[in-house]
Amino acid sequence: MNNTRKYDTIVKIEKSGVRYNAWTADGTKMTTDITTRMRKKAFNSTGYLGRYNTKSGNARWAVVSPTDVNTDTTNDSAKSSVDIPNEHAEIMGFIHSSYSLKPKGLMMTELKWKYLIRSAVRGKNIMMTGPAGCGKTMAAKSVVNSLDRADFYFNLGATQDPRSTLIGNTHFDKDKGTFFSKSLFVEAIQTENAVILLDELSRAHPDAWNILMTVLDYGQRYLRLDEADGSDTIKVANGVTFVATANIGNEYTSTRVMDKALMDRFTIVEMDVLTEEDENSLLTYMFPNVDSKVTSNVAKIAALTRSESNSDTARINSGVSTRTTVELMGLIYDGFSLVESAEVCIYPQYDNTGGVDSERTFVKQIVQKFCDDGSSDDLFNEEEMAEAEGDAS
Ligand SMILES: Nc1ncnc2c1ncn2[C@@H]1O[C@H](COP(=O)(O)OP(=O)(O)OP(=O)(O)O)[C@@H](O)[C@H]1O
Ligand SMILES: [Mg+2]
């Protein structure tokens, strides 16, 4: 180590799967600027590299110790009073500059996104909650992609046999006899710094919840291979982060109510249902070629159904989701009219029983307000309509 050198940039080397990534304190990734050999060498010694200029003006990297690097030559006394641990400063830098990592097509507030990233880098178990089709899976996948760590995906809602998905199977082979093959999940939890997505945890079989109890408990963090006490356990590796999604909203009475003890093991990140304005910007961003008047009508229909479903006198159980508005817009983009698109995309989601008093009739009337055929039912009073129009402008 050479203490007389002036380093203009310090990076920390972090291992991600088989890669060695280089990050500056403010979260800039420098991996491609440095050879793999150099990054690996640093990772196996101090964990840090510093960039300096040679006499001939070329930038070079050298292994440095984070405590004795000479980055600032002018005002050491002023600096020494601020005692932010190096690693803490780096993590903060990463969190607060992370909004740029959010995909443009995902609508989520900066605060929620940063909270999500922060929870992930701090190794919290994260639970994304919100009604159907509001972007939980999309946000969870986006955070996994942004972190550049080994990732694993498990859809627990679709799993019939939690034991084989989460633990493994016992097989019989006539040569080997009975043997146990471990699940992918076992591999996942043994992978350091892995990000493990547990999609649709709220729809999982209660057996899955029981198996996950010890895995998710910060004090335990192990998987028991067998229900029996004293059976083999597998430790969750360092830095493993779990990101789960759950449909938890007042309209989800059919979803099994999740166990309180399991819920307690998670940091909740609630996905917001989009406002009319955000819905409109998302749809405009995704479908720039669709007539903006039609796009704004779709956003209004969604907003009206959502506010209706939340009102005390709600005549429908749930609002039109963002998943549905995106599908609807796709049809419109492909040349279907709003009426036709609604007929195939929206109405089937609403109960048809009860004739004129049915949920479907109610939603149809909302949609028709925004269609050109001029049908005018007096389902909404003037005030409600003015409000809906006013919200849009
Ligand atoms: N906040 C959002 N930003 C951008 N797109 C969204 C958003 N919410 C929903 N979408 C759109 O809806 C689709 C479905 O979203 P996603 O699968 O993430 O919903 P979910 O909340 O996981 O639903 P479910 O509860 O049914 O699992 C996405 O592919 C995307 O096109
Ligand atoms: Mg989902």
Side-chain angles (χ1 to χ4, degrees), residues 136-138 199-200 203 245 323:
K136 298 181 294 292
T137 300
M138 190 178 184
D199 207 6
E200 306 202 4
R203 292 203 187 99
T245 73
R323 173 187 284 124

PDB file of all heavy atoms in Angstrom, residues 136-138 199-200 203 245 323, ligand 2:
ATOM      1  N   LYS A 136     -47.410  -5.281  -7.307  1.00  0.00           N
ATOM      2  CA  LYS A 136     -46.579  -5.893  -6.249  1.00  0.00           C
ATOM      3  C   LYS A 136     -45.479  -6.776  -6.827  1.00  0.00           C
ATOM      4  O   LYS A 136     -44.305  -6.628  -6.493  1.00  0.00           O
ATOM      5  CB  LYS A 136     -47.448  -6.758  -5.314  1.00  0.00           C
ATOM      6  CG  LYS A 136     -48.518  -5.994  -4.585  1.00  0.00           C
ATOM      7  CD  LYS A 136     -49.325  -6.899  -3.673  1.00  0.00           C
ATOM      8  CE  LYS A 136     -50.145  -7.948  -4.413  1.00  0.00           C
ATOM      9  NZ  LYS A 136     -51.247  -7.386  -5.206  1.00  0.00           N
ATOM     10  N   THR A 137     -45.884  -7.687  -7.720  1.00  0.00           N
ATOM     11  CA  THR A 137     -44.897  -8.594  -8.300  1.00  0.00           C
ATOM     12  C   THR A 137     -43.895  -7.810  -9.140  1.00  0.00           C
ATOM     13  O   THR A 137     -42.690  -8.047  -9.084  1.00  0.00           O
ATOM     14  CB  THR A 137     -45.616  -9.666  -9.158  1.00  0.00           C
ATOM     15  OG1 THR A 137     -46.498 -10.381  -8.311  1.00  0.00           O
ATOM     16  CG2 THR A 137     -44.631 -10.625  -9.788  1.00  0.00           C
ATOM     17  N   MET A 138     -44.414  -6.842  -9.880  1.00  0.00           N
ATOM     18  CA  MET A 138     -43.547  -6.044 -10.736  1.00  0.00           C
ATOM     19  C   MET A 138     -42.506  -5.287  -9.904  1.00  0.00           C
ATOM     20  O   MET A 138     -41.315  -5.267 -10.236  1.00  0.00           O
ATOM     21  CB  MET A 138     -44.423  -5.055 -11.516  1.00  0.00           C
ATOM     22  CG  MET A 138     -43.701  -4.326 -12.600  1.00  0.00           C
ATOM     23  SD  MET A 138     -44.882  -3.244 -13.449  1.00  0.00           S
ATOM     24  CE  MET A 138     -43.806  -2.604 -14.724  1.00  0.00           C
ATOM     25  N   ASP A 199     -43.384 -15.125  -4.225  1.00  0.00           N
ATOM     26  CA  ASP A 199     -44.556 -14.470  -4.803  1.00  0.00           C
ATOM     27  C   ASP A 199     -45.837 -15.152  -4.308  1.00  0.00           C
ATOM     28  O   ASP A 199     -45.880 -16.362  -4.148  1.00  0.00           O
ATOM     29  CB  ASP A 199     -44.463 -14.522  -6.331  1.00  0.00           C
ATOM     30  CG  ASP A 199     -45.204 -13.358  -6.989  1.00  0.00           C
ATOM     31  OD1 ASP A 199     -45.682 -12.464  -6.271  1.00  0.00           O
ATOM     32  OD2 ASP A 199     -45.295 -13.342  -8.240  1.00  0.00           O
ATOM     33  N   GLU A 200     -46.861 -14.327  -4.090  1.00  0.00           N
ATOM     34  CA  GLU A 200     -48.182 -14.811  -3.678  1.00  0.00           C
ATOM     35  C   GLU A 200     -48.135 -15.645  -2.396  1.00  0.00           C
ATOM     36  O   GLU A 200     -48.788 -16.681  -2.286  1.00  0.00           O
ATOM     37  CB  GLU A 200     -48.834 -15.586  -4.823  1.00  0.00           C
ATOM     38  CG  GLU A 200     -48.859 -14.731  -6.078  1.00  0.00           C
ATOM     39  CD  GLU A 200     -49.909 -15.143  -7.087  1.00  0.00           C
ATOM     40  OE1 GLU A 200     -50.687 -16.061  -6.796  1.00  0.00           O
ATOM     41  OE2 GLU A 200     -49.960 -14.504  -8.145  1.00  0.00           O
ATOM     42  N   ARG A 203     -51.384 -16.571  -0.765  1.00  0.00           N
ATOM     43  CA  ARG A 203     -52.208 -17.657  -1.306  1.00  0.00           C
ATOM     44  C   ARG A 203     -51.583 -19.023  -1.069  1.00  0.00           C
ATOM     45  O   ARG A 203     -52.097 -20.031  -1.536  1.00  0.00           O
ATOM     46  CB  ARG A 203     -52.382 -17.475  -2.827  1.00  0.00           C
ATOM     47  CG  ARG A 203     -53.216 -16.271  -3.189  1.00  0.00           C
ATOM     48  CD  ARG A 203     -53.823 -16.467  -4.587  1.00  0.00           C
ATOM     49  NE  ARG A 203     -54.494 -15.251  -5.008  1.00  0.00           N
ATOM     50  CZ  ARG A 203     -53.965 -14.348  -5.809  1.00  0.00           C
ATOM     51  NH1 ARG A 203     -52.761 -14.534  -6.318  1.00  0.00           N
ATOM     52  NH2 ARG A 203     -54.621 -13.264  -6.127  1.00  0.00           N
ATOM     53  N   THR A 245     -44.818 -11.279  -1.675  1.00  0.00           N
ATOM     54  CA  THR A 245     -45.953 -10.441  -2.056  1.00  0.00           C
ATOM     55  C   THR A 245     -47.224 -11.056  -1.474  1.00  0.00           C
ATOM     56  O   THR A 245     -47.320 -12.270  -1.326  1.00  0.00           O
ATOM     57  CB  THR A 245     -46.140 -10.301  -3.590  1.00  0.00           C
ATOM     58  OG1 THR A 245     -46.642 -11.535  -4.103  1.00  0.00           O
ATOM     59  CG2 THR A 245     -44.849  -9.936  -4.293  1.00  0.00           C
ATOM     60  N   ARG A 323     -53.506  -3.605 -13.722  1.00  0.00           N
ATOM     61  CA  ARG A 323     -53.299  -4.713 -14.659  1.00  0.00           C
ATOM     62  C   ARG A 323     -54.372  -4.674 -15.744  1.00  0.00           C
ATOM     63  O   ARG A 323     -54.096  -4.823 -16.929  1.00  0.00           O
ATOM     64  CB  ARG A 323     -53.364  -6.049 -13.920  1.00  0.00           C
ATOM     65  CG  ARG A 323     -53.325  -7.236 -14.891  1.00  0.00           C
ATOM     66  CD  ARG A 323     -53.564  -8.560 -14.197  1.00  0.00           C
ATOM     67  NE  ARG A 323     -52.410  -8.992 -13.464  1.00  0.00           N
ATOM     68  CZ  ARG A 323     -52.412  -9.286 -12.168  1.00  0.00           C
ATOM     69  NH1 ARG A 323     -53.512  -9.184 -11.467  1.00  0.00           N
ATOM     70  NH2 ARG A 323     -51.314  -9.685 -11.586  1.00  0.00           N
TER      71      ARG A 323
HETATM   72 MG    MG B   2     -48.454 -10.715  -8.146  1.00  0.00          MG
END
